[in-house]
Amino acid sequence: MSVFTDADYMRAALAYGRRGLGRTAENPAVGALVVRDGVIVGQGFTQDGGRPHAEPVALAQAGGAARGATLYVTLEPCSHHGRTPPCADAVVAAGISRVVSAIEDPDARVAGRGHAMLRAAGVEVVTGVCADEARRANLGHILRVTQQRPMVTLKLAETLDGHAAGDQHDPRLAITSAPANARTHVMRAMHDAIMIGIGTAMADDPLMTVRAPGLEDRKPLRVVLDGKLQLPSRSRLAASARETPVLALAGENADGGRARDLRALGVAIEAVPCDARDRVDLRAALAALAARKISRVFSEGGPRIGAELIRRGLADEVVLFTGPKPLRRGVPALAADAREILADPARYRLAEDRMIGADRMRRYERTL
């Protein structure tokens, strides 16, 4: 008899499923384990591009050992025909006798039907194991199908005294050290898109790519919130658009000539609603990304966008890197009211607080 509980196996499945983060859009990054007599005989996670799903990968690895075994899966097995047959059918055909499923899939095409198909076939179904953790792991998928927006991870870097940059015309400020910068690249790789504002694009001319050993093949969509369409044709983003995709979200009255120049370089442009100051509406921007099947967005948009994401409840995770040195002047990394919201336990909780090299990393999760 196994010394491990259903929760132990489900946490292992959740860890396995995280391998697919940033690689499976438009499908969720699911993990699955096949366990027989306390031994893991098959494991799988959703593969690149969302196919195949985690369940058939784990079942194929288990082979004949799947008959009479238990399947642990971090999201309800699908019940609809898409590019592949329903996973629920594959589970039944493999002879699985028991399925432990963390949460129901809110996608209207599934929404309990997968569990119902399994029960109708005589499979024992247990739900709700590690449900909170699974909800976090699948938050991008859940928000996209229920609220028509992706989940957002907001990343900010600040000096010891809370500044994100020096005064106007000061040289670009290097706040964090190599270990924290490497962690940022890993986090980028775990998202479908990386988002900044035009202010950051103009001031820093960033490349916004994943540059970590072993992750060079990851190419999240690079998104610029650019109401007036000011992105320079000579920027590193525009110049590399044919190598790694770039999307500029601009207002309807943006410069048509610049749009032609940017499109000629491979930059995609989409019109979205803007405010009276020609700033892109954040919720509209996220809705546009959700429509493109983007589930996870990594925002490095700077202090103004960061504060607005927090104020509007659109920052689902906030990762704050604090360097070891003060600046004593410059641009605050986060407005005072946004910091108050972040410190409010009714709205956010501190999920992680650790050192990454010389820098402190705090990760907050929005209360669900």
Side-chain angles (χ1 to χ4, degrees), residues 36 59-68 94:
R36 183 169 182 171
L59 292 169
Q61 189 177 107
R67 189 159 298 279

Side-chain angles (χ1 to χ4, degrees), residues 110-195:
V110 186
R113 294 182 182 87
H115 292 154
M117 287 172 64
L118 294 172
R119 290 189 176 104
V123 178
E124 179 189 354
V125 177
V126 177
T127 62
V129 176
C130 298
D132 290 343
E133 294 129 291
R135 212 165 280 116
R136 291 284 177 191
N138 291 289
L139 187 58
H141 169 70
I142 292 169
L143 289 174
R144 186 173 63 80
V145 301
T146 62
Q147 298 185 23
Q148 291 73 56
R149 75 165 180 91
M151 73 84 66
V152 177
T153 299
L154 168 64
K155 177 256 178 181
L156 294 167
E158 64 175 1
T159 60
L160 187 61
D161 53 352
H163 293 96
D167 290 331
Q168 190 175 16
H169 306 305
D170 280 0
R172 182 178 178 180
L173 186 63
I175 296 175
T176 51
S177 56
N181 295 340
R183 180 65 176 264
T184 296
H185 282 279
V186 172
M187 288 189 291
R188 285 178 177 178
M190 297 171 71
H191 291 74
D192 308 322
I194 304 168
M195 183 175 75

Side-chain angles (χ1 to χ4, degrees), residues 65 103 226 301 317:
I103 55 174
D226 189 4
E317 288 191 358

Side-chain angles (χ1 to χ4, degrees), residues 42-126:
Q43 53 192 12
F45 60 92
T46 309
Q47 298 297 292
D48 290 6
R51 295 289 190 279
H53 290 182
E55 298 95 324
V57 174
L59 292 169
Q61 189 177 107
R67 189 159 298 279
T70 296
L71 172 70
Y72 293 87
V73 62
T74 59
L75 185 69
E76 177 183 10
C78 67
S79 57
H80 62 285
H81 285 269
R83 284 180 287 172
T84 56
C87 288
D89 285 350
V91 172
V92 173
I96 291 288
S97 64
R98 181 172 181 258
V99 170
V100 181
S101 173
I103 55 174
E104 184 177 290
D105 189 343
D107 189 322
R109 297 170 298 177
V110 186
R113 294 182 182 87
H115 292 154
M117 287 172 64
L118 294 172
R119 290 189 176 104
V123 178
E124 179 189 354
V125 177
V126 177

